[in-house]
């Protein structure tokens, strides 16, 4: 206990000496601080939210929160005024942040990030509200996100997102996901984010409760000038039951699957206009060089887009679609 108190005091002095009120993070190889979260008491804190709360407002120091293995049952929020955070666990198998809530979709996420320049690695985010449903209980499925972000310049590496409906609330800003695992049944990647999913595994559990079909995405692009959209590049889509690649959450919804393996769970039609039947011309749903039994496009909806070579090149290049200013390279490794 004494050692933890001394460590906390040292960290406080470190922050106070380095903080300036700017949203720009310090160079990745310079000013940095590390906070250890450990349930056993061998770190500065035993809860992840405690570590977030400790970071000063308008922080501009890249701050590592190192989370030791364990199941952390807590609801965590990173407020908008606390940028420049790297959250790192041991692995997504043994470092879990878990909660159970479905009170309101934009307020019930297990982990919420509202601050820009956030990076997560080797963490599992899980909302267990619908857990009984996954096991066959006939309780109605409700919206229960595992993760929510409304911030720009947010990235994830080797993370897992587990839920049933609205698992990943990818709401706003530019985001990058690499080698992540995302599981759900209904609209389990949804929102108005501008996001690139690289080499991720998408597990659609549409067969729960004997459901006929599920939906992977519900993307919310709302105008021709809106730059948002979801791009899945070199990913893998597996699961149980039958699933649509996406349905239109907004009239200009945009989703692209490129060089992705699609298992036989994908319905032949591929896509659903949802509430925009008859106005599909504004929806941009496209596939390019996908493989697997679910990649057969012979029965796809007639309004699926065939993108030009230039459009496809822009969307499927991480540097042109989400990393225009090189923010990914500026985040710590």
């Amino acid at each position: 206990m004494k050692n933890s108190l001394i460590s906390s005091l040292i960290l406080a002095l470190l922050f106070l000496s380095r903080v300036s009120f700017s949203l720009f993070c310090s160079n990745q190889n310079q000013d940095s601080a590390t906070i250890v979260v450990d349930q056993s008491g061998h770190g500065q804190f035993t809860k992840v939210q405690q570590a977030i709360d400790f970071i000063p407002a308008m922080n501009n120091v890249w701050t590592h929160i190192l989370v030791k293995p364990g199941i952390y049952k807590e609801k965590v929020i990173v407020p908008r005024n606390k940028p420049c955070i790297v959250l790192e666990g041991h692995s997504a198998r043994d470092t879990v942040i878990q909660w159970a809530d479905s009170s309101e979709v934009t307020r019930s996420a297990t982990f919420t990030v509202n601050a820009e320049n956030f990076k997560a690695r080797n963490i599992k985010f899980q909302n267990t509200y619908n857990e009984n449903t996954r096991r066959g209980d006939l309780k109605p499925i409700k919206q229960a996100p595992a993760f929510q972000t409304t911030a720009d310049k947010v990235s994830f590496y080797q993370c897992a997102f587990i839920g049933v409906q609205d698992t990943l609330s990818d709401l706003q800003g530019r985001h990058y996901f690499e080698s992540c695992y995302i599981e759900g049944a209904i609209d389990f990647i949804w929102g108005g984010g501008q996001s690139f999913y690289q080499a991720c595994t998408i597990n659609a559990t549409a067969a729960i409760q004997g459901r006929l079909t599920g939906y992977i995405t519900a993307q919310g692009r709302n105008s021709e000038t809106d730059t948002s959209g979801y791009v899945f590049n070199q990913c893998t889509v597996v699961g149980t039951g039958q699933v649509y690649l996406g349905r239109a959450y907004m009239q200009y919804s945009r989703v692209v699957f490129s060089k992705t393996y699609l298992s036989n769970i994908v319905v032949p039609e591929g896509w659903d206009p949802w509430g925009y039947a008859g106005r599909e011309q504004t929806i941009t749903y496209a596939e390019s060089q996908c493989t697997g039994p679910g990649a057969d496009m012979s029965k796809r909806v007639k309004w699926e887009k065939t993108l030009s070579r230039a459009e496809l090149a822009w969307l499927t290049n991480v540097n042109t679609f989400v990393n225009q200013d090189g923010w990914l390279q500026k985040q710590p490794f």
Side-chain angles (χ1 to χ4, degrees):
M1 179 67 71
K2 183 182 292 185
N3 288 338
S4 295
L5 179 59
I6 293 173
S7 297
S8 296
L9 290 172
I10 291 172
L11 278 170
L13 291 172
L14 174 65
F15 278 123
L16 289 173
S17 65
R18 291 179 178 174
V19 162
S20 64
F21 293 94
S22 168
L23 288 179
F24 295 100
C25 300
S26 62
N27 184 280
Q28 62 188 26
N29 297 316
Q30 295 176 353
D31 301 328
S32 64
T34 299
I35 302 172
V36 177
V37 179
D38 189 343
Q39 288 181 327
S40 68
H42 291 90
Q44 281 79 43
F45 301 104
T46 58
K47 295 285 188 180
V48 176
Q49 187 66 61
Q50 292 171 340
I52 299 294
D53 293 343
F54 178 74
I55 297 172
M58 306 306 290
N59 169 56
N60 75 335
V61 177
W62 273 114
T63 304
H64 287 76
I65 299 176
L66 184 60
V67 185
K68 295 294 185 178
I71 298 177
Y72 295 80
K73 294 187 177 182
E74 55 178 314
K75 190 172 183 177
V76 181
I77 298 176
V78 181
R80 194 168 300 278
N81 64 354
K82 295 196 176 185
C84 312
I85 291 174
V86 177
L87 182 73
E88 185 169 5
H90 179 262
S91 79
R93 293 184 302 276
D94 60 20
T95 310
V96 183
I97 301 175
Q98 184 185 96
W99 197 247
D101 190 6
S102 71
S103 56
E104 184 179 330
V105 66
T106 57
R107 295 184 180 180
S108 57
T110 298
F111 201 107
T112 297
V113 172
N114 296 322
E116 68 178 43
N117 267 314
F118 176 91
K119 179 177 181 177
R121 184 189 296 274
N122 298 330
I123 298 273
K124 179 190 290 183
F125 305 96
Q126 185 173 19
N127 192 324
T128 60
Y129 180 84
N130 291 306
E131 190 67 25
N132 290 337
T133 298
R134 286 159 46 109
R135 296 171 182 163
D137 192 329
L138 294 181
K139 181 182 71 173
I141 297 170
K142 292 189 177 182
Q143 298 168 315
F147 196 99
Q148 173 177 292
T149 180
T150 64
D152 193 34
K153 296 184 285 188
V154 176
S155 65
F156 307 86
Y157 300 83
Q158 296 88 46
C159 288
F161 306 85
I162 311 294
V164 176
Q165 182 168 355
D166 295 353
T167 303
L168 178 54
S169 296
D170 187 350
L171 298 185
Q172 184 178 358
R174 292 172 297 167
H175 313 135
Y176 178 72
F177 300 78
E178 183 176 308
S179 301
C180 291
Y181 174 88
I182 308 163
E183 179 182 301
I186 307 166
D187 303 340
F188 62 98
I189 304 173
W190 77 284
Q194 183 172 342
S195 302
F196 200 93
Y197 294 81
Q198 175 66 35
C200 293
T201 297
I202 313 300
N203 184 21
T205 56
I208 60 173
Q209 284 194 348
R211 292 182 60 86
L212 297 178
T213 55
Y215 304 87
I216 295 175
T217 66
Q219 204 281 329
R221 183 168 174 254
N222 59 24
S223 72
E224 287 185 356
T225 58
D226 185 343
T227 59
S228 73
Y230 298 156
V231 175
F232 297 86
N233 190 56
Q234 298 178 334
C235 294
T236 300
V237 174
V238 294
T240 58
Q242 294 287 284
V243 68
Y244 286 88
L245 295 173
R247 59 178 175 176
Y249 177 53
M250 291 290 184
Q251 190 170 348
Y252 292 82
S253 182
R254 177 163 61 183
V255 180
V256 176
F257 283 84
S258 172
K259 300 178 181 178
T260 289
Y261 175 83
L262 303 177
S263 71
N264 61 3
I265 69 166
V266 178
V267 300
E269 298 84 0
W271 308 92
D272 185 346
W274 207 2
Y276 297 99
R279 293 177 286 173
E280 296 93 344
Q281 70 277 4
T282 62
I283 299 170
T284 301
Y285 287 159
E287 300 166 63
S288 174
Q289 300 182 59
C290 292
T291 59
D296 181 0
M297 298 182 64
S298 62
K299 296 182 180 179
R300 287 291 195 263
V301 293
K302 296 186 182 303
W303 46 269
E304 179 172 4
K305 293 289 191 299
T306 300
L307 300 176
S308 69
R309 182 177 299 179
E311 288 175 311
L312 194 61
W314 181 77
L315 286 165
T316 59
N317 184 328
V318 64
N319 290 318
T320 54
F321 187 53
V322 298
N323 192 41
Q324 307 90 332
D325 51 359
W327 62 271
L328 281 169
Q329 288 76 18
K330 295 173 185 177
Q331 292 189 333
F333 295 109

